[in-house]
Amino acid sequence: YQRRVHGKLPLEELSKSIDTPLRKLQITKTLYIMLGYFSNLYSSYQTYPEIFAPTIKILTDIEEFVPLPLRKRHTDLLNGLKENEMGFRLQRKPVMFQTHRPVPLRLYDPDIKDDRREKTTQQIKKVRRDHFRQAQKSIRADTRFLQKAREEEQAIDDKRRLDKYNQIVHDLQEQRHMVGEMELKWKRKREALASKKMKDAAKEHKKNMKDSAKEPYAKKPKLDKKSKSSDKRNNKKFNKVFKKGR
């Protein structure tokens, strides 16, 4: 009961059992089996060489110290790992930069200090700058002159157009005034004629009344058809003129 507590060995006996050569061989064999399992598990990864490179180095270093019963397993595992590593390394393509055409080097003039040449270049730059400024001034003056001329022409055209418009309006007003005066004259003439006709008709009517009063039983003379029609026309005209006068 003291040796086993809940199905577990005490630490002292467990350490003593591990120190035996048989246990060491069993543990080493288990490690080889686990390495083979992990090799198969990671065989599809592109980083296989980097994962197992430290393991291969350790296995190559302890190859001389492996006991005889496990030497064959050790060599088989080491050779398998090396083969897988070499296969992955051969499949890889090295990283390459993009190929470009060689860039030509610039050819510089020799740096020879020549005061005369520098002075001439400075003078040329100054003269060019002065010419450029003068050209700018002349261009600005020309643009101002052209703009002013355009504005003057536009003002003249506007004034001419306004004068034409005012003249047309004045002519129309004069024509309207003349037409109004003519209509007024005709209206006055028509009114005078109408009043004159009314007065004549009234006088003639009074005269006829007087004549009829003097001869009440006088027989009316027989009239022709032409005289009857003329009397009817005169009566119609009299009635029209009389109505207008009212």
Side-chain angles (χ1 to χ4, degrees):
Y1 181 75
Q2 291 178 356
R3 293 181 66 184
R4 291 181 179 273
V5 179
H6 300 292
K8 293 182 181 180
L9 292 171
L11 291 174
E12 294 179 356
E13 291 188 3
L14 187 62
S15 61
K16 287 179 182 178
S17 63
I18 289 169
D19 288 337
T20 58
L22 182 62
R23 290 287 183 186
K24 289 180 181 179
L25 289 172
Q26 288 177 351
I27 291 166
T28 309
K29 184 179 178 182
T30 306
L31 288 172
Y32 288 150
I33 292 166
M34 288 177 70
L35 283 172
Y37 173 74
F38 283 119
S39 175
N40 293 327
L41 184 65
Y42 291 103
S43 61
S44 61
Y45 285 75
Q46 294 293 327
T47 58
Y48 184 90
E50 285 77 15
I51 294 169
F52 287 95
T55 307
I56 291 167
K57 187 176 182 305
I58 292 166
L59 290 175
T60 52
D61 291 338
I62 65 170
E63 190 173 5
E64 297 177 356
F65 305 103
V66 175
L68 290 171
L70 298 174
R71 188 165 290 177
K72 187 181 179 196
R73 187 180 290 274
H74 180 85
T75 53
D76 293 339
L77 179 63
L78 184 61
N79 292 329
L81 292 174
K82 286 182 179 180
E83 286 178 1
N84 291 334
E85 184 188 11
M86 288 299 294
F88 275 103
R89 289 189 185 279
L90 291 171
Q91 288 177 3
R92 286 181 179 177
K93 292 181 180 180
V95 179
M96 296 177 69
F97 290 104
Q98 293 180 356
T99 56
H100 296 285
R101 293 178 66 184
V103 181
L105 298 172
R106 291 183 179 178
L107 299 175
Y108 296 100
D109 294 332
D111 189 7
I112 299 169
K113 292 183 179 180
D114 191 358
D115 295 335
R116 293 179 181 176
R117 188 175 180 182
E118 289 180 0
K119 286 180 181 179
T120 53
T121 52
Q122 289 176 1
Q123 289 176 359
I124 290 164
K125 286 181 181 177
K126 188 177 179 181
V127 172
R128 190 182 296 165
R129 200 180 301 118
D130 294 337
H131 283 302
F132 183 70
R133 287 176 182 171
Q134 288 177 2
Q136 281 184 340
K137 287 180 182 178
S138 62
I139 289 166
R140 284 172 189 153
D142 293 338
T143 51
R144 287 196 208 96
F145 177 76
L146 291 171
Q147 185 67 24
K148 191 175 180 181
R150 286 196 203 96
E151 289 176 356
E152 288 177 357
E153 289 178 358
Q154 187 68 29
I156 291 165
D157 292 337
D158 293 339
K159 188 177 180 182
R160 193 183 296 122
R161 195 178 295 110
L162 185 62
D163 293 338
K164 284 183 179 178
Y165 176 76
N166 293 330
Q167 186 66 32
I168 290 165
V169 171
H170 182 67
D171 293 339
L172 289 172
Q173 288 176 354
E174 284 184 353
Q175 290 177 6
R176 192 178 294 167
H177 182 66
M178 290 171 68
V179 170
E181 286 181 352
M182 290 174 69
E183 286 180 353
L184 185 61
K185 286 179 181 179
W186 283 107
K187 186 176 181 182
R188 287 174 181 173
K189 284 182 180 180
R190 283 197 300 272
E191 289 176 354
L193 289 170
S195 62
K196 189 178 179 182
K197 285 181 180 180
M198 284 174 66
K199 287 177 182 179
D200 294 339
K203 286 178 181 179
E204 190 175 354
H205 184 66
K206 285 180 181 179
K207 188 178 179 182
N208 293 328
M209 289 292 288
K210 285 179 181 179
D211 294 336
S212 62
K214 287 178 181 180
E215 296 177 1
Y217 300 104
K219 291 182 180 180
K220 292 181 180 180
K222 292 182 180 181
L223 298 175
D224 298 332
K225 291 182 179 179
K226 291 183 179 179
S227 60
K228 286 180 181 180
S229 62
S230 63
D231 291 335
K232 287 180 181 179
R233 287 174 188 169
N234 291 326
N235 290 328
K236 285 180 180 179
K237 287 180 181 179
F238 174 75
N239 292 326
K240 286 181 182 179
V241 171
F242 187 72
K243 286 178 182 178
K244 284 183 182 178
R246 283 185 178 179

